[in-house]
Amino acid sequence: MSTPATSPSASTTPKPYEPATPAMAATSTAIVGLQWGDEGKGKIVNLLTDRHDAIVRYNGGANAGHSVVVKGERFALHLIPSGIMHADKPAVVGPGVVIDPEWLLKEVAGLRKRGVGCENLVISDHAHVVMPWHKLEDELREAFLSANSVEPIGTTRRGIGPCYADKAQRSTAIRIADLLRPEVLSQKLATIVPFKNAVLAAIARPGSTFVPYDHRTLLEQFAALGEQLRPFVTGASKLLLDMAHSGKSILFEGANATLLDVDHGTYPYVTSSTCSALGAPAGAGVPFTCVRSILGVMKAYSTRVGGGVMPTELINSDADRAIADGIRQRGREFGTTTGRPRRVGWLDLVAVRYSARLNGVHGLCLMLLDVLAGVDTLMVADRYEVDGSPTNTFVPDAHWLAGARPIYRSFPGFSADITAARSLRELPTQARTYMEFIEQTIGVPIRFVSVGPDRAQTIEC
Ligand code: IMP
């Protein structure tokens, strides 16, 4: 009996399934930070909103801080997507976000005062609510670590971790939809309030008088907040799903950044959500196949706020600290959310390469290049020394990272002010050499270079 001839590749390579969703737009894009946050994602989101039909925040809460400069005016946003400035496109706060209602309404009021109407704001009914006890628990946990000589996480104290923890617990969680149904809210509070009062009284700092939460007061307060939110609240997942399946393009706005991702960041010094692009479909409620291209946003150097190891931090000598101070001042490296001065370091390409690979980025956005003007010699880490051997592997684990020493390459700096450059040709050779090294090391092309905070101060490559 003769056996039919099969080519080896036909028998070993599985055939891809036919796409089940041929209508998906080819232009849906996720924008993610590749470092420890504050890379300038808001500016890129704002630039790319023109090319998409809707914008969605898929993770985090009021811990994020995006500054957007439009026509010389600076807007600091925390919960509301940067796309809000484009009144004709839905700016969605997705189901994966945790919302502090008071904070969100304050942001809406602030924007309205400055002429941004927010009529395009859409809030998912499935997003979770940050309650007062989440913020208190966040604070108490940090204080507990300090009191026990453990480095605190350095959280923003916005209640992010405790709120996500309750979301996973389920029985002690409140969703935005619950604020619109006072009877449901009342039922939930009836069990949650006594539970939280018992736990918080037990862990409150010795000497502090914990004032227990009151069911009635909270019911009134949060039902009233729900009423104010009502015009914005809808089944955002259905809206996005319908858009995705009818070929509309969606811009996914990542908050925080890859190295703060709860699963893939420098654990435990991370936030509590999936802030890499891996979280985009889950946090927005659309299929994976909807996210067609991914842009990774990175600074031309490194910054970090909060605790945790940062291998290239500039803190080892007076000279290092002076360079860091200069970068901090020129780059306005003070937290948008908490005002804390950010820790500053040389560019860490071991970390960025890891993030780029994890997210599968198609292009890089290199931000704040202008801030490096005037630094005589630019140092870039492209390997670490771990246990006496060089490696370009990055292990997202704080303990491992503590044993990693950066190995640097040096590049001549540039002194010219580049804030008026609008093409690559206008950049000094030294800046272009620096950029080429970044592209080669990461293996991904740079698509945007930012040379100043304004939208116009951008070079599209
Ligand atoms: P949390 O998100 O408030 O729990 O804080 C956890 C860690 O993430 C802390 O080190 C914060 O400083 C950091 N973090 C959270 N969000 C951001 C952000 O948007 N930019 C920079 N750091 C952030």
Side-chain angles (χ1 to χ4, degrees):
M1 207 172 73
S2 67
T3 45
T6 51
S7 76
S9 63
S11 61
T12 54
T13 313
K15 255 182 86 184
Y17 293 105
E18 287 305 314
T21 51
M24 297 282 174
T27 50
S28 283
T29 313
I31 310 284
V32 290
L34 297 182
Q35 294 157 310
W36 284 282
D38 314 305
E39 294 92 350
K41 297 177 287 291
K43 173 170 169 172
I44 297 297
V45 170
N46 192 247
L47 274 171
L48 294 187
T49 300
D50 287 341
R51 307 177 197 178
H52 294 78
D53 299 310
I55 311 94
V56 56
R57 262 278 304 265
Y58 59 84
N59 75 295
N63 55 347
H66 295 168
S67 340
V68 186
V69 179
V70 184
K71 293 188 187 125
E73 256 201 273
R74 180 176 285 270
F75 293 84
L77 304 172
H78 300 278
L79 263 167
I80 294 185
S82 312
I84 195 73
M85 307 298 170
H86 299 248
D88 55 332
K89 327 231 162 166
V92 183
V93 182
V97 175
V98 290
I99 297 178
D100 179 334
E102 253 180 86
W103 189 282
L104 189 130
L105 288 163
K106 221 167 37 182
E107 230 167 79
V108 170
L111 284 166
R112 286 189 165 158
K113 219 186 259 171
R114 296 171 71 186
V116 182
C118 295
E119 278 79 24
N120 53 331
L121 178 64
V122 175
I123 298 172
S124 168
D125 50 349
H126 289 172
H128 278 76
V129 181
V130 176
M131 296 297 290
W133 44 73
H134 293 137
K135 290 182 266 191
L136 179 60
E137 185 183 335
D138 201 352
E139 216 172 297
L140 292 174
R141 281 176 171 268
E142 290 286 275
F144 181 85
L145 294 178
S146 298
N148 287 279
S149 312
V150 178
E151 185 185 5
I153 306 289
T155 73
T156 58
R157 289 161 168 76
R158 297 278 150 84
I160 307 299
C163 185
Y164 276 115
D166 270 338
K167 171 179 171 171
Q169 292 288 3
R170 294 146 293 159
S171 57
T172 40
I174 295 177
R175 280 174 150 191
I176 290 289
D178 301 327
L179 304 186
L180 308 184
R181 301 178 288 218
E183 64 300 341
V184 176
L185 181 61
S186 180
Q187 267 170 26
K188 289 205 159 190
L189 289 173
T191 43
I192 301 173
V193 169
F195 180 83
K196 292 293 175 185
N197 281 342
V199 172
L200 288 164
I203 64 170
R205 251 167 294 185
S208 77
T209 36
F210 166 65
V211 182
Y213 295 103
D214 175 60
H215 177 160
R216 286 279 133 220
T217 314
L218 285 175
L219 178 59
E220 251 170 55
Q221 184 191 351
F222 279 83
L225 289 168
E227 280 314 307
Q228 292 179 67
L229 290 178
R230 192 183 286 278
F232 306 112
V233 179
T234 180
S237 301
K238 177 174 180 335
L239 174 88
L240 292 169
L241 206 50
D242 288 347
M243 288 186 87
H245 282 273
S246 58
K248 298 271 192 278
S249 67
I250 298 170
L251 187 60
F252 298 86
E253 175 174 345
N256 324 122
T258 304
L259 299 176
L260 295 172
D261 185 289
V262 67
D263 291 304
H264 308 291
T266 51
Y267 198 85
Y269 295 94
V270 294
T271 187
S272 309
S273 64
T274 305
C275 9
S276 60
L278 282 63
V286 296
F288 256 78
T289 43
C290 175
V291 186
R292 289 302 183 87
S293 85
I294 301 168
L295 286 179
V297 187
M298 59 182 284
K299 287 181 184 180
Y301 47 90
S302 306
T303 63
R304 180 166 201 175
V305 261
V309 184
M310 180 180 173
T312 60
E313 187 168 8
L314 278 158
I315 42 161
N316 293 331
S317 65
D318 286 346
D320 276 4
R321 283 187 286 272
I323 295 170
D325 279 344
I327 291 176
R328 188 176 297 111
Q329 295 305 329
R330 289 193 299 279
R332 296 159 163 258
E333 296 294 359
F334 298 89
T336 322
T337 302
T338 57
R340 289 180 285 182
R342 296 181 185 138
R343 298 157 64 191
V344 174
W346 295 121
L347 181 57
D348 183 344
L349 286 184
V350 187
V352 177
R353 179 173 166 272
Y354 160 76
S355 294
R357 281 160 57 95
L358 177 78
N359 287 295
V361 300
H362 299 95
L364 300 170
C365 308
L366 183 67
M367 313 304 285
L368 296 131
L369 185 62
D370 54 300
V371 171
L372 291 183
V375 180
D376 291 340
T377 303
L378 301 170
M379 308 291 275
V380 181
D382 65 340
R383 285 163 304 155
Y384 293 153
E385 186 190 302
V386 179
D387 294 332
S389 304
T391 179
N392 67 353
T393 297
F394 182 91
V395 178
D397 170 89
H399 184 75
W400 183 89
L401 213 50
R405 303 273 157 269
I407 302 175
Y408 290 110
R409 283 179 196 259
S410 64
F411 292 84
F414 53 94
S415 53
D417 175 355
I418 58 168
T419 53
R422 296 294 177 268
S423 70
L424 291 180
R425 272 180 292 113
E426 292 168 73
L427 293 177
T429 321
Q430 297 93 323
R432 278 186 283 166
T433 306
Y434 190 71
M435 287 166 50
E436 276 159 24
F437 184 70
I438 294 171
E439 288 184 320
Q440 277 163 18
T441 308
I442 301 177
V444 175
I446 294 175
R447 294 292 184 210
F448 290 92
V449 184
S450 177
V451 292
D454 203 89
R455 188 187 154 98
Q457 293 173 298
T458 314
I459 301 168
E460 186 163 359
C461 313

